[in-house]
Amino acid sequence: MSEPEGIRLQKVLAQAGVASRRAAELMVAEGRIEVNGELVTEQGRRVDPRRDVIRVDGARIPPVRGHVYL
């Protein structure tokens, strides 16, 4: 069985500092999240944070940045 592509939307929102995973699930249920201009209505949607445009309440979350190790 192959691994589904992408990362769960809730995890991406948590990594971006928008909300915890559980709070992100509530935000999806309230209809506050858009991916590529489409309102997200189902839990567990997978996204590619480098390619997809994710908006919360109309504001775009910052794209994923790589870590810098010193």
Side-chain angles (χ1 to χ4, degrees), residues 8-57:
R8 287 177 53 105
L9 178 59
Q10 291 87 336
K11 183 175 181 179
V12 173
L13 293 173
Q15 289 175 339
V18 173
S20 69
R21 291 186 192 188
R22 302 300 171 251
E25 289 175 356
L26 292 175
M27 294 169 83
V28 168
E30 294 170 351
R32 298 173 55 191
I33 311 293
E34 293 179 13
V35 175
N36 297 329
E38 177 185 335
L39 188 64
V40 176
T41 57
E42 76 279 356
Q43 298 292 336
R45 176 159 178 180
R46 293 193 174 266
V47 297
D48 180 350
R50 296 184 189 279
R51 205 179 45 179
D52 295 328
V53 176
I54 302 167
R55 296 183 185 275
V56 177
D57 295 332

